[in-house]
Amino acid sequence: MKKLISLGCAGVLVLALLSGGTSLAAGEIQVIVNNRTAGPGTSAYLANGTTMVPLYAVQQIPDISVSWDNKTKTVTVKNGSDAIELIAGQKTASAGSGKITLSMPATLHKGHVMVPLRFIAEVSGAYVTWNPLSRTVYVAKADDQLKDRLASGNLTEARRAALQLPRVSMIRNLEPTPSSLEGQNFTFYFPLGEYERFLTSGGDVVSYYEVVNGRSKLLWTARLTNGAITESALFVNSPPLSLRMKWGLLLASIQGCTRLRAS
């Protein structure tokens, strides 16, 4: 691992396992499009393994237009010069002169036009993943300008772009306790000379991300408390042995209050 710059700080911070994360009502599904929650109470639900969401949720995906014709009961998705039509109740979508079989059709449900999220997101070029631990669907699609900044060769600009990328998580998420945020700001840290991995620190929570295919993926997160450090102190995406081998130095530097310069 590259040399880290130590700025020093008083006291010792260690990691302790605490349950936490975004609070959802039982059975509720959260939809996050490019780091923004697609409105409170999106009425999203699972049907035969397909996440169905109201029309306004997919309208937040960048670079596409989604419209509803109430007379013909047709959803039209336009991505550049390409157009796809879904008719409510029909398990096929029209794309030009061709037909595409859907896992679930568009439908009317409790006053909302509901559409299959993964199908529309993927035809728009977005990445979709489901986190069963937090019952969250992530939709990630970085625009071309952001990708260009990431590949610009300018380290400062690439780091700023990395922090703006859509974030996804397949592990349990932690939220800072309100008291720990008093007078605090979120801070971001990068290893020297790098932009494709970074730490975020806010309140009593620290998280580690890596940039993968135009999105930032959360690999571990932990709450900082006073106490003894243990390997079970993290929500991680890898087993403890891998954690020891790959991140031992990084964890040690956090415990010793080492910071990574962001610019």
Side-chain angles (χ1 to χ4, degrees):
M1 180 174 290
K2 295 182 182 294
K3 183 180 178 181
L4 307 179
I5 298 296
S6 176
L7 302 183
C9 59
V12 175
L13 300 178
V14 294
L15 308 173
L17 177 65
L18 293 173
S19 62
T22 303
S23 177
L24 296 176
E28 185 177 343
I29 293 173
Q30 183 173 226
V31 179
I32 297 179
V33 180
N34 281 8
N35 303 332
R36 293 186 178 183
T37 302
T42 58
S43 304
Y45 62 89
L46 288 175
N48 296 328
T50 299
T51 303
M52 303 294 292
V53 298
L55 207 61
Y56 65 80
V58 294
Q59 287 172 332
Q60 297 183 38
I61 300 173
D63 303 324
I64 66 169
S65 66
V66 184
S67 60
W68 166 252
D69 186 323
N70 193 53
K71 183 177 181 180
T72 61
K73 303 297 188 262
T74 300
V75 176
T76 301
V77 182
K78 291 185 178 180
N79 184 13
S81 60
D82 298 325
I84 295 177
E85 293 185 342
L86 297 79
I87 298 176
Q90 294 188 12
K91 289 194 69 173
T92 57
S94 301
S97 58
K99 297 286 186 180
I100 303 172
T101 301
L102 303 172
S103 56
M104 286 293 294
T107 187
L108 296 174
H109 178 74
K110 296 182 179 180
H112 294 287
V113 180
M114 308 297 290
V115 293
L117 173 61
R118 181 175 293 275
F119 173 76
I120 292 182
E122 290 183 345
V123 299
S124 75
Y127 171 83
V128 185
T129 192
W130 162 251
N131 184 336
L133 296 174
S134 61
R135 293 185 62 79
T136 301
V137 181
Y138 291 91
V139 180
K141 184 182 180 183
D143 61 36
D144 290 339
Q145 185 179 17
L146 197 56
K147 291 177 182 177
D148 289 343
R149 290 170 56 201
L150 196 68
S152 65
N154 182 309
L155 183 59
T156 299
E157 192 65 21
R159 285 175 169 175
R160 289 173 177 168
L163 296 178
Q164 294 174 22
L165 287 175
R167 298 182 188 178
V168 301
S169 169
M170 291 300 294
I171 62 176
R172 190 180 301 278
N173 298 322
L174 287 175
E175 295 292 338
T177 56
S179 59
S180 72
L181 289 174
E182 294 178 3
Q184 298 289 327
N185 293 316
F186 279 87
T187 309
F188 307 95
Y189 306 95
F190 291 85
L192 282 175
E194 296 185 27
Y195 67 89
E196 292 185 316
R197 54 192 184 127
F198 58 89
L199 288 166
T200 68
S201 175
D204 58 356
V205 170
V206 61
S207 301
Y208 173 76
Y209 291 85
E210 286 189 357
V211 174
V212 181
N213 297 328
R215 56 188 178 273
S216 294
K217 183 176 182 180
L218 178 65
L219 292 186
W220 61 255
T221 187
R223 199 176 299 284
L224 302 170
T225 64
N226 292 318
I229 188 168
T230 66
E231 285 183 349
S232 63
L234 299 160
F235 293 129
V236 298
N237 213 21
S238 58
L241 180 59
S242 296
L243 184 65
R244 283 202 307 271
M245 294 174 62
K246 192 172 183 181
W247 305 120
L249 180 57
L250 186 56
L251 290 175
S253 65
I254 294 173
Q255 185 178 7
C257 299
T258 297
R259 295 185 180 183
L260 313 180
R261 287 186 177 175
S263 60

